[in-house]
Amino acid sequence: MFLNVQLPWNVIIPAENLDAKGLMLQRSIIIRLLDEFASKKATKELGYYFALTTLDSIGEGKVRQHTGDILFPVVFHGITFNLFRGEIIEGVVHKVLKHGVFLRCGPMEHIYLSSTKMPDYRYVPGENPVFLNEKLSKIGKDVVVRVIVLATMWLEVEREFRALVSLEGDFLGPVSSF
Amino acid sequence: MSGEEEENAAELKIGDEFLKAKCLMNCEVSLILEHKYEQLRQMSEDPLNQVSQVFEKSLQYVKRFSRYKNPDAVRQVREILSRYHLTEFELCVLGNLCPETVEEAIAMVPSMKTKGRGLDEEAIEKMLNDLSLIKTFE
């Protein structure tokens, strides 16, 4: 699920980047914020930091004592992405293994659908391995599957989330309209 | 795998800050990015356009999974769904998955069936009918 959140942030501009003209300063702040936002990637509390949308306000700059940099408190709106336990999502299969498949949804790539959570589907090995059921419904690379989220996990070192999903439920499974 | 307060979106147990946050449907994210992000990106002096791989893939995902492409249609979808006393979260799940029948809608958003919500099958049917009209005219 994508969320539109308002966040406070502190942007630090090195003294040498400061310009007398106000417009250049705002530009510096935006660029700095864009870079930091992009490199942040994700947090445990809010999920993935996907895109910055608006810069709402720039507060008064404060000089930092020892470095001479200026700290600007800003408030902005950004789009974040999070998966919730019990949420139903549509993901694209990007990897097929003997015991399950990996789906991609939004910025998340490590969404695992285990074969134990794909009732009636069995693994068919080959150059393009797939999972197949009796009605010849296929789950393979690039197939869109609607699943329910069983659990999510935050990995501190990689700064990433993992998720476990399942096909067990009504109206879940491969989706053909894409 | 932990769930501190037993998080469960099917019952709308997803933490206060998320229940109150503004959720976005894939089609809304797609439209926002088409306008705003290009603007902001152009301000960056970086000629190599260091937009990360992850961002590109997410952008592809959002474009592919936008059920509605036309900005007016997207606006109408939110407007229609807003009339039915749904939470932001429920609204976006419906707007993203576009269930075709009442049974499917309830399977996608089980929290709608909670007692006292005032969302009987008739109301859900009407909602789905209104949504399908938008699709026809998109």
Side-chain angles (χ1 to χ4, degrees):
Chain A
M1 173 70 57
F2 286 98
L3 299 171
N4 197 10
V5 295
Q6 187 176 57
L7 290 171
W9 201 284
N10 287 325
V11 178
I12 295 167
I13 307 283
E16 56 266 22
N17 290 18
L18 288 172
D19 200 282
K21 302 194 195 96
L23 199 61
M24 292 303 287
L25 177 63
Q26 191 173 63
R27 191 194 171 100
S28 293
I29 293 177
I30 291 177
I31 292 169
R32 197 95 190 174
L33 188 54
L34 274 175
D35 284 342
E36 285 178 32
F37 190 78
S39 60
K40 184 96 181 181
K41 194 169 158 192
T43 63
K44 186 178 179 185
E45 297 75 33
L46 290 174
Y48 286 83
Y49 281 44
F50 182 42
L52 187 73
T53 51
T54 56
L55 182 56
D56 300 337
S57 67
I58 301 174
E60 219 175 273
K62 297 177 189 119
V63 181
R64 292 172 91 220
Q65 291 290 344
H66 298 288
T67 56
D69 301 333
I70 315 281
L71 185 147
F72 289 92
V74 302
V75 178
F76 68 95
H77 265 91
I79 300 177
T80 61
F81 181 87
N82 222 334
L83 282 188
F84 299 97
R85 189 169 162 266
E87 185 182 347
I88 293 179
I89 57 164
E90 286 172 338
V92 186
V93 178
H94 66 91
K95 202 190 267 187
V96 180
L97 301 171
K98 205 163 75 167
H99 297 294
V101 301
F102 278 95
L103 304 172
R104 172 184 303 123
C105 175
M108 281 185 71
E109 300 216 300
H110 297 102
I111 298 173
Y112 188 60
L113 174 59
S114 160
S115 57
T116 61
K117 294 296 174 190
M118 283 193 261
D120 306 327
Y121 281 85
R122 48 181 186 84
Y123 179 70
V124 178
E127 206 179 297
N128 280 325
V130 292
F131 279 84
L132 209 61
N133 77 355
E134 278 164 3
K135 299 179 197 152
L136 298 182
S137 165
K138 245 193 288 196
I139 293 180
K141 201 152 182 281
D142 289 331
V143 170
V144 174
V145 192
R146 194 187 269 178
V147 294
I148 186 165
V149 179
L150 294 176
T152 61
M153 186 165 73
W154 167 248
L155 297 177
E156 188 64 52
V157 174
E158 292 90 333
R159 299 197 74 77
E160 265 177 7
F161 283 88
R162 299 271 194 272
L164 273 184
V165 297
S166 168
L167 279 190
E168 288 167 334
D170 295 327
F171 297 98
L172 299 180
V175 171
S176 55
S177 51
F178 294 102
Chain B
M1 304 274 165
S2 71
E4 288 110 325
E5 301 108 357
E6 265 301 87
E7 177 182 277
N8 190 350
E11 292 165 29
L12 276 187
K13 288 194 191 138
I14 56 174
D16 279 339
E17 69 273 25
F18 293 112
L19 265 183
K20 287 187 266 175
K22 185 152 180 9
C23 297
L24 294 171
M25 296 183 277
N26 294 334
C27 50
E28 290 175 318
V29 174
S30 186
L31 284 179
I32 290 173
L33 291 179
E34 260 173 46
H35 293 127
K36 296 275 184 185
Y37 205 76
E38 207 43 61
Q39 245 174 24
L40 287 172
R41 222 169 62 165
Q42 270 163 19
M43 292 192 74
S44 165
E45 288 156 339
D46 175 27
L48 294 172
N49 253 335
Q50 280 175 334
V51 181
S52 69
Q53 268 259 312
V54 167
F55 178 80
E56 279 299 336
K57 290 207 172 109
S58 310
L59 197 53
Q60 267 173 37
Y61 174 88
V62 143
K63 285 197 165 125
R64 182 177 179 182
F65 287 86
S66 288
R67 299 276 185 166
Y68 304 88
K69 312 280 181 194
N70 181 306
D72 287 324
V74 173
R75 224 181 338 259
Q76 277 186 324
V77 169
R78 185 167 272 272
E79 200 240 317
I80 287 176
L81 289 173
S82 301
R83 294 184 211 152
Y84 291 88
H85 305 294
L86 299 163
T87 61
E88 285 271 329
F89 184 83
E90 291 169 325
L91 189 153
C92 289
V93 173
L94 290 171
N96 281 339
L97 302 179
C98 283
E100 290 175 357
T101 63
V102 175
E103 291 78 22
E104 194 181 351
I106 292 172
M108 298 298 99
V109 188
S111 47
M112 281 198 298
K113 273 240 113 178
T114 321
K115 283 203 187 81
R117 290 294 301 272
L119 274 166
D120 60 4
E121 297 200 1
E122 222 178 280
I124 299 174
E125 174 119 35
K126 174 146 200 333
M127 174 171 71
L128 296 179
N129 282 336
D130 290 343
L131 282 179
S132 64
L133 280 176
I134 305 177
K135 225 162 194 339
T136 320
F137 291 106
E138 228 215 335

